């Protein structure tokens, strides 16, 4: 594993932590497991940071705030692109067996060649985002793809929270303008050029009807279809256009994963909109800015959360629990936990490497033990049951009381496949989980994120990933997946959690 770069200051340490979360999430999609996801993420992270610093050095150093003038990809999409480049290098070096088969097929297809081929033939969203000023592009990406609340984006970029919505609308217009100009610059066929002006006019108005001949053309022409997705912002298609055009393979799965991470509160990017962090100051013009003290305070909190909670692979102790202090002091196993090194002197005390020994993790009773407090003490934590994994493959027992509620959401579907999400709320605290359901129309699983799947006939079992095994009592877990189908696509039935029945809805 390559040596990971050292943050240059407290602000960059915070940025590294936020970016690592995104990079590891996409690397996990590319490899399907943490054993290969972390090495891929580490190598890509180092590559991307080197490229970013080289660009900054070539333009005379870094520029902060909304007045930066150097067009380049924002840090997160730049690093996600580095994951794709690193995966391609693995394939070329004979390590492709560490990647998921679908990605390997894509890497060797004409679709992947578009991302590295002639600039005028690259995906339109990638060209449009790269042509924007970096702060504008960052505002668009964080809001549309990372699904961060606008107030959180404003705090991160140093914007006035009261005006960020209006500014986002202006940035969307800038992106549309860049994409339109890039579309016209693309070497188009005579037919495509004939439809270019009509496509621009139709996508400007949310109420405009799509002419039948243009609709038929978009069904046949990939480049014009991409242009339509980038130009038409009504209908919620902009996030998909950005993710698919910049990331490439797995863009939609990454988009769904980030959205659900923010909704469930698992993402460090999802700041609380109601609370304003300490250290904020107002300039004379009313524009919100982060003072140095506030920056260090926020950096300390986020960095500690990132380095202790996310990067350290927590594992149960002898009694199934582990304190945060034990986790922070534990040596990493192999190359699982990346280290960004220490900050340079003078970057501010207490940002990276502070002790967390004063923070403890609430203990969870062992399976079958009692806390001695009321009837609830007799409840068994499902994740502690040694037989739960064995029970999950069996048919649910309707005589047992339901201990969970499952919700099935069909995100989208097409003639031979679909994307869906299964969310399960548990009455009990879990140390690990296995969720089962039964398809009714012969659907076949092809890919899953935030979990691993096994399918036997119509029965599917989803098990926890390394990073989301624990669930608090009353908390929820979720997995997203892609599957193939033929004909009907009915909602699954017989949902279980660790072998016990769940009520369900869709």
């Amino acid at each position: 594993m390559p040596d990971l770069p050292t943050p240059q200051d407290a602000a960059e340490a915070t940025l590294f932590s936020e970016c690592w979360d995104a990079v590891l999430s996409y690397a996990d999609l590319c490899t399907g497991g943490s054993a290969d996801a972390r090495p891929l993420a580490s190598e890509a992270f180092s590559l991307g940071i080197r490229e970013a610093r080289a660009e900054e050095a070539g333009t005379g150093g870094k520029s902060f705030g909304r007045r930066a003038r150097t067009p380049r990809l924002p840090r997160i999409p730049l690093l996600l692109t580095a994951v794709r480049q690193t995966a391609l290098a693995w394939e070329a070096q004979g390590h492709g067996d560490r990647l998921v088969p679908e990605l390997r097929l894509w890497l060797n297809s004409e679709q992947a060649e578009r991302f590295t081929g002639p600039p005028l033939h690259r995906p339109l969203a990638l060209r449009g985002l790269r042509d924007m000023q970096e702060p504008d592009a960052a505002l668009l990406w964080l809001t549309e793809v990372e699904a961060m609340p606008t107030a959180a984006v404003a705090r991160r970029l140093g914007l006035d929270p009261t005006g960020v919505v209006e500014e986002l609308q202006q940035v969307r217009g800038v992106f549309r303008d860049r994409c339109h100009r890039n579309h016209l610059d693309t070497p188009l066929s005579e037919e495509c050029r004939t439809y270019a002006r009509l496509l621009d006019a139709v996508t400007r108005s949310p109420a405009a009807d799509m002419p039948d001949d243009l609709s038929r053309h978009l069904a046949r022409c990939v480049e014009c279809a991409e242009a339509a997705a980038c130009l038409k912002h009504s209908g919620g298609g902009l996030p998909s256009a950005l993710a698919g055009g910049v990331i490439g393979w797995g863009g939609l799965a990454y988009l769904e994963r980030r959205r659900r991470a923010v909704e469930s509160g698992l993402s460090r990017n999802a700041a609380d909109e109601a609370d304003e962090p300490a250290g904020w100051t107002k300039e004379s013009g009313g524009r919100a800015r982060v003072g140095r003290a506030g920056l260090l305070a926020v950096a300390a909190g986020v960095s500690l959360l990132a380095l202790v909670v996310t990067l350290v692979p927590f594992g149960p102790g002898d009694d199934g629990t582990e304190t945060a202090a034990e986790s922070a002091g534990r040596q990493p196993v192999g190359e699982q936990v990346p280290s960004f090194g220490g900050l340079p002197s003078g970057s501010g005390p207490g940002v990276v490497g502070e002790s967390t020994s004063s923070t403890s993790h609430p203990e969870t009773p062992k399976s079958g033990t009692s806390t001695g407090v009321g009837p609830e003490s007799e409840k068994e934590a499902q994740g502690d049951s040694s037989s739960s994994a064995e029970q999950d493959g069996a048919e649910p027992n309707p005589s047992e009381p339901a201990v969970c509620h499952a919700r099935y959401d069909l995100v989208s579907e097409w003639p031979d496949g679909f994307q869906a999400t299964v969310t399960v709320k548990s009455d009990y605290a879990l140390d690990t989980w296995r969720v089962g359901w039964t398809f009714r129309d012969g659907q076949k699983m092809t890919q899953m994120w935030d979990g691993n799947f096994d399918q036997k006939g119509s029965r599917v079992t989803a098990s926890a990933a390394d990073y989301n095994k624990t669930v608090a009592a009353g908390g929820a877990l979720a997995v997203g997946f892609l599957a193939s189908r033929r004909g009907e696509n009915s909602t699954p039935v017989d949902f279980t959690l660790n072998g016990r029945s769940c009520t369900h809805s869709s």
Side-chain angles (χ1 to χ4, degrees):
M1 184 177 79
D3 293 333
L4 290 169
T6 300
Q8 297 175 341
D9 49 35
E12 192 172 61
T14 302
L15 181 63
F16 276 18
S17 298
E18 294 167 344
C19 291
W20 172 260
D21 187 45
V23 171
L24 182 59
S25 180
Y26 183 49
D28 184 70
L29 285 173
C30 295
T31 57
S34 62
D36 292 320
R38 289 183 180 274
L40 177 63
S42 299
E43 191 172 333
F45 194 92
S46 298
L47 172 65
I49 293 299
R50 287 197 302 269
E51 291 181 353
R53 286 178 173 174
E55 288 184 359
E56 290 165 355
T59 57
K62 291 184 287 186
S63 297
F64 294 100
R66 302 286 294 153
R67 298 184 181 277
R69 294 298 180 189
T70 305
R72 58 174 177 258
L73 284 177
R75 191 62 63 91
I76 289 182
L78 175 66
L79 292 170
L80 296 176
T81 299
V83 174
R84 187 185 67 237
Q85 294 170 340
T86 305
L88 183 61
W90 279 20
E91 178 71 13
Q93 296 164 4
H95 303 308
D97 57 320
R98 304 172 71 181
L99 306 172
V100 294
E102 296 85 358
L103 173 57
R104 298 187 68 185
L105 290 173
W106 186 86
L107 289 172
N108 292 282
S109 69
E110 293 181 357
Q111 291 177 300
E113 292 177 359
R114 293 188 60 210
F115 287 82
T116 56
L120 291 181
H121 289 282
R122 292 178 186 175
L124 197 61
L126 177 61
R127 294 157 60 191
L129 194 70
R130 187 180 291 276
D131 284 352
M132 297 173 65
Q133 302 301 327
E134 185 182 1
D136 289 338
L139 173 60
L140 189 67
W141 184 271
L142 293 175
T143 306
E144 300 292 350
V145 180
E146 300 300 318
M148 290 176 59
T150 53
V153 175
R155 285 194 288 269
R156 176 162 170 175
L157 299 181
L159 304 178
D160 180 0
T162 62
V164 68
V165 174
E166 180 180 353
E167 188 158 3
L168 177 61
Q169 287 297 107
Q170 295 175 358
V171 167
R172 286 173 178 151
V174 172
F175 175 73
R176 188 191 187 283
D177 176 65
R178 298 295 188 273
C179 288
H180 177 55
R181 285 198 287 174
N182 275 292
H183 182 54
L184 295 178
D185 290 341
T186 304
L188 299 173
S189 67
E190 189 63 32
E191 182 182 17
C192 293
R193 197 161 294 279
T194 300
Y195 283 113
R197 292 186 180 277
L198 177 60
L199 179 61
D200 178 41
V202 169
T203 54
R204 282 186 183 278
S205 173
D209 294 328
M210 183 76 68
D212 292 340
D213 58 336
L214 177 58
S215 179
R216 288 191 295 269
H217 175 72
L218 295 179
R220 299 190 305 267
C221 179
V222 173
E223 291 183 337
C224 289
E226 286 182 354
C230 294
L231 298 178
K232 185 176 177 62
H233 295 171
S234 60
L238 180 56
S240 300
L242 281 167
V246 175
I247 300 175
W249 183 89
L252 295 181
Y254 174 84
L255 184 70
E256 176 67 11
R257 172 178 282 198
R258 303 303 284 171
R259 180 186 66 82
R260 288 191 289 106
V262 170
E263 288 179 351
S264 62
L266 298 177
S267 172
R268 292 189 302 277
N269 290 332
D272 187 355
E273 294 187 43
D275 298 326
E276 188 174 83
W280 273 70
T281 59
K282 296 285 184 178
E283 295 181 347
S284 58
R287 187 177 180 82
R289 289 292 179 187
V290 182
R292 178 172 175 80
L295 178 63
L296 293 178
V298 175
V302 178
S303 296
L304 286 175
L305 177 63
L307 298 177
V308 176
V309 178
T310 301
L311 301 184
V312 176
F314 289 91
D318 293 336
D319 62 348
T321 63
E322 186 176 66
T323 65
E326 292 169 344
S327 298
R330 186 178 59 191
Q331 295 298 320
V333 180
E335 298 177 344
Q336 286 189 333
V337 184
S339 173
F340 298 116
L343 291 178
S345 60
S347 59
V351 178
V352 178
E354 268 189 351
S355 170
T356 58
S357 58
S358 62
T359 305
S360 63
H361 191 74
E363 294 188 0
T364 305
K366 290 183 182 179
S367 170
T369 62
S370 172
T371 60
V373 183
E376 292 295 322
S377 63
E378 299 181 0
K379 288 187 177 181
E380 177 186 357
Q382 291 187 22
D384 295 329
S385 175
S386 61
S387 61
S388 61
E390 299 172 357
Q391 294 173 355
D392 187 68
E395 291 297 322
N397 185 354
S399 64
E400 293 183 348
V403 295
C404 52
H405 178 78
R407 188 181 77 244
Y408 180 81
D409 296 307
L410 182 63
V411 179
S412 61
E413 62 181 337
W414 47 95
D416 59 351
F418 64 99
Q419 177 184 346
T421 301
V422 173
T423 305
V424 178
K425 182 178 180 181
S426 173
D427 293 347
Y428 299 84
L430 306 175
D431 289 333
T432 189
W433 50 264
R434 292 169 66 88
V435 174
W437 65 84
T438 300
F439 282 129
R440 294 188 286 173
D441 299 312
Q443 298 97 324
K444 299 294 183 184
M445 299 285 294
T446 59
Q447 182 182 352
M448 176 174 287
W449 48 94
D450 291 344
N452 306 296
F453 75 89
D454 178 54
Q455 182 169 4
K456 296 181 179 179
S458 60
R459 187 69 181 171
V460 176
T461 302
S463 56
D466 289 343
Y467 54 84
N468 63 357
K469 291 182 177 180
T470 59
V471 179
L477 59 97
V479 294
F481 64 87
L482 301 176
S484 61
R485 69 183 181 96
R486 292 184 178 180
E488 295 296 323
N489 188 24
S490 305
T491 300
V493 294
D494 299 336
F495 285 87
T496 60
L497 174 61
N498 289 352
R500 301 185 67 177
S501 299
C502 297
T503 59
H504 70 273
S505 61
S506 58

